[in-house]
Amino acid sequence: MGHTSLDKIIALQRNPANIRNLCILAHVDHGKTTLADCLVASNGIISGRLAGKLRYLDSREDEQIRGITMKSSAISLHYRNGDQEYLLNLIDSPGHVDFSSEVSTAVRLCDGAIVVVDAVEGVCPQTQVVLRQAWLENIRPVLVINKIDRLIMELKLTSQEAYTHLQKILEQVNAVTGTLFTSKVLEERAEKEKIEERESGTLSGDQVYDWSAGLEEADDSHLYFSPDQGNVVFASLSPLNLIQQFAHIYSQRMGIKTEVLLKTLWGDFYLNAKAKKIMKGAQAKGKKPLFVQLVLDNIWSLYDAVVTRRDKEKVEKVVTSLGVKVMARDSRHSDPKVLLSAICSQWLPVSQAVLSMVCEKLPSPLDMTAERVEKLMSVGARRFDTLPQQTQELKRAFLQCSSSENVPVIIFVSKMFAVDTKALPQNRQRPLTQEEIAQRRELAKQRHADRMAADQRAAENHKELTHSGTPQEGQPAGVSTAEEETFIAFARVYSGVVKKGQRVFVLGPKYDPAQALNMCLLPNASDCVPEVPHLSCCSMESIYLLMGRELEELEEVPAGNVLGVGGLEEYVLKSATLSTSPACPPFTPLNFEATAIVRVAIEPKHPSEMPKLVRGMRLLNQADPCAEVLIQETGEHVLVTAGEVHLQRCLDDLRDRFAKIEISASKPIIPFRETVIRPPKVDMVNEELGKQHKVAIIHQVSQPQNTLHVDPSGLVTLTTPNRLATVSVRAIPLPQEVTRLLEISSELIRTLEQVNMSLREGKNLDISLSTVEAITELKGQLESLLQGRKWRNTVERIWAFGPRRYGPNILLNSVEGYQRPSVWQCLSRGDKVGEAGAQATVLRDFDNSIVSGFQLATLSGPMCEEPLMGVCFSIERWDIQSSAASQKQDSMEKDSISNEAVVEIKVEGSSETTPQAGGIASGPSQARRRPDVSSADCYGPVSGQLIAAMKEACRHAFQAQPQRLMAAMYTCEIMATAEVLGRVYGVLGKREGRVLHEEMKEGTDMFIIKAVLPVAESFGFADEIRKRTSGLASPQLVFSHWEVISSDPYWVPTTEEEYLHFGEKADSANQALKYMNAVRRRKGLYVEEKIVEHAEKQRTLSKNK
């Protein structure tokens, strides 16, 4: 098929029934970009000979060097299937785990996906991830089993063995899909039961429980991949064979109907040659299955003749029987694969197999399901049926995918990507039309005649003429020399027609359509946007058709198409929803599989270039969907990325594209957490602990302070400097399951905190039923996990969560006689406003100061100023003398200002701001009350003192317990062959890794090793493993969890056995101490190290004299 013109693509965009938006998903190195090359070559954009070598959609230099895709790229292709013409918007996505955020941006814009699986490696970790991402976005996948030639060339399998191997791969893929389907059915069943319970209420009599899970009734036939359904293609170096192609070939040759062959070509069927019938039971009777006999045997014999034996006579026979033409240079080529590719590309054309499957099996934009629309529009905890009526009516616009004028325009921008300004179509030199060429010819003739007539003029006049002729020639105007990056939005139109220069609303992620509708905002009121939160208005300056490395300018784009939008860089950071209707809700956020965990601090080589770095980092933050840029309290500019490869790409981009300056990056900043554990039963040599060890800990922590008292049981009592308030705090380790639950539920706890805050302020906040249910479930789970005498009534007594009010630490109210409102008050509220007012009076004075002190203590722990995790601080005593309470009532101004100071402290998150904030607060109030205030005022306001006292009490209570560091852990999946297994274990052991399990892949010599590895030890791990195993093992690192490092960083030998085992100095490497000192050194904190100076021996000096 020849090159498709732009006009043709514009015409095809108007028919949404024949549009297919699809992406290619796979594990790294399974052949996505090569497959994309084959499809691009079918449109004549690149040569068929270069398909697979060029990697057309990998337009970045580092992508070509590394040989992996690092960003999603889109291209529009034209395909004719019978009498129908289709437009395919194809998006190629990365397979490397570091760039899985790019996969999320691609999947959101598509209706279908091609999942590519390597025939030898089978289902890999990233294959499971992309199948899950496709499932979460409700898009339909089709399967391509790629690199079948590896079964012949590498594994040396027979056609029968290859058939069994392919069946196993299909089973593996279907097992992943089946698991996703089962979990969905069980969730729906649980929801249905909840609704039934609510409706039925309390029923009298015996209830019969239905034990069926609902899986029997659920129809899952459309989910699974099977060649007889036409949603599987087998591909290799060159041939792509769809069962339909072979069914068509053999129906003509054997006289069997195509429909019969389609049903029997894959499965347990064989051909009875005598009866000339297709029979069932090939496996039981030991016969060759039909697929092996008619399909695989032919491919195997072709490989045998062309590649293995290089039998010229047989090749000629094959070429003649297939009716293909082979060029002389291909048949003479020294590499047999060139000849094989030439035969197969004509016998089984690449594009035809995949593209016809895509057109027949993947849905068009018109086939979008109502379930997917509701899921997209239900942001946060809100259900679709709770949205305003006008918003719910937009569902019809989605499903119709209409391009009429009166339909609201709805666009979703999934990411912003940077393009060199010179590469934009308006700045590119365009080819001249015939009229322009004729016009230029006439101008040239005219100038020549003028020159001949006036040849007495000097040479400089001649030069003037030449230069003055340049603008008259109609060449495009010069581009401004500013080497800037332009941002293009990667988007899809879901409804309406997008026109160049059109004005639309930009809806932020927290935008509430109900709020805008209440303010009577009219559709298309784009001239003046009233003060609606999270809503802005912008104009789409230019619209582009994405063609891989090229962009083509368009005037309008109808619904159902993928496009690029220019002029949004000031309004959209990473992703956004655009609409002409204010009733449109923002779409649900993208599902990112990778967690950004690798941090580096960046500074320019020359300090004067700091503004360029700041601007460059801002651009990088916008251009990368997963990267984060932040400024820490220390003033460092920190870049947070998903992994080593991602970090390298971001640094290269910053250096070469966005900042264009020399930069220096620090060593990766490793995040740690601090925690306490239950006192250990045995010491470092597994002997039972004697009493002296416990005494050593208490002596180590207790400090001679007249305001601090540490009880032997670990209770810390601290008095404020003005002696007006006393706090007693105890630190208790939380069970591991509770910590994990709090970490998972952080968003829900944040919502709970917002609801409680609005209740305290007396506001009426309407929350959805599903949020209330989720909070109730969280409370129930906490109650079931916190069992036993020690945790009695704990859940009801929770005062706050921290740090930042939603972290995995708990503040517990164990003060006798203080009944403060529960954090779960939103679950049992009647008259909202009245009850909120009543509850406000129950809060003690300075309640907020206690919470703020707890927040500060949990944000930076005493070991190395890292956040705490899994610690419960129980307040067992809190006394305030009456003079402190009266001091609070003296001046309302002081109270309000000190409250502001508390907020300021919380935002800054560092203890150093406390006295300063206190100073600010005390200023005006001191001036007003100086004549009649006691000397207690020299310490600042009581609220500030209480915050500091609470923070210190929490820190000392923490130190009174056995302290431990928690390290971030990666899950590491390594695929390796048997001969390099030992080396893989060696590298893991050296880097503190721990193998969880290993299993051999059936039918191959590959082992899959699953291990956990500390993030701190992971840098350079992939390179080292590749070097040690000569490239035969490749790891996949994904952030998994936090794990307690078992060794005590403060441990010193105390018992006789420990002295014998470790020596008096105990100078063997303490891993926890090494990590802790590294963090303290980086933060500029005191590190207890013995540095030996001038260590010359005296006798050496005398010898030298």
Side-chain angles (χ1 to χ4, degrees), residues 64 299 405 676 809 818 837 964 1000 1006:
Q64 292 287 347
I299 294 170
E405 293 293 328
V676 292
N809 302 287
Y818 179 33
R964 293 291 183 271
M1000 191 172 185
M1006 300 291 280

Side-chain angles (χ1 to χ4, degrees), residues 780-907:
Q781 284 175 305
L782 282 171
E783 281 170 347
S784 65
L785 291 170
L786 293 169
Q787 296 285 350
R789 186 172 55 83
K790 188 171 70 170
W791 299 108
R792 191 174 296 144
N793 295 333
T794 299
V795 180
E796 286 298 335
R797 290 188 287 120
I798 291 175
W799 196 328
F801 299 94
R804 298 189 179 92
R805 296 188 176 268
Y806 58 88
N809 302 287
I810 292 175
L811 180 65
L812 210 59
N813 176 18
S814 303
V815 181
E816 283 183 30
Y818 179 33
Q819 295 293 322
R820 72 183 301 282
S822 167
V823 291
W824 314 104
Q825 59 186 325
C826 63
L827 299 178
S828 55
R829 56 186 175 143
D831 176 26
K832 295 168 198 164
V833 181
E835 198 171 324
Q839 284 165 344
T841 57
V842 178
L843 283 175
R844 236 188 199 189
D845 292 340
F846 305 117
D847 181 280
N848 206 24
S849 300
I850 293 286
V851 175
S852 299
F854 162 73
Q855 301 296 344
L856 287 174
T858 51
L859 192 62
S860 56
M863 291 168 78
C864 52
E865 302 291 329
E866 289 287 300
L868 304 191
M869 190 172 191
V871 185
C872 172
F873 289 107
S874 173
I875 299 190
E876 301 193 359
R877 179 180 157 211
W878 176 27
D879 300 331
I880 294 187
Q881 290 180 23
S882 56
S883 56
S886 63
Q887 191 177 334
K888 181 172 185 180
Q889 290 164 6
D890 265 356
S891 167
M892 290 303 288
E893 274 185 36
K894 177 199 166 190
D895 186 35
S896 62
I897 298 169
S898 64
N899 275 343
E900 282 172 26
V902 170
V903 173
E904 189 180 325
I905 293 161
K906 278 186 282 177
V907 171

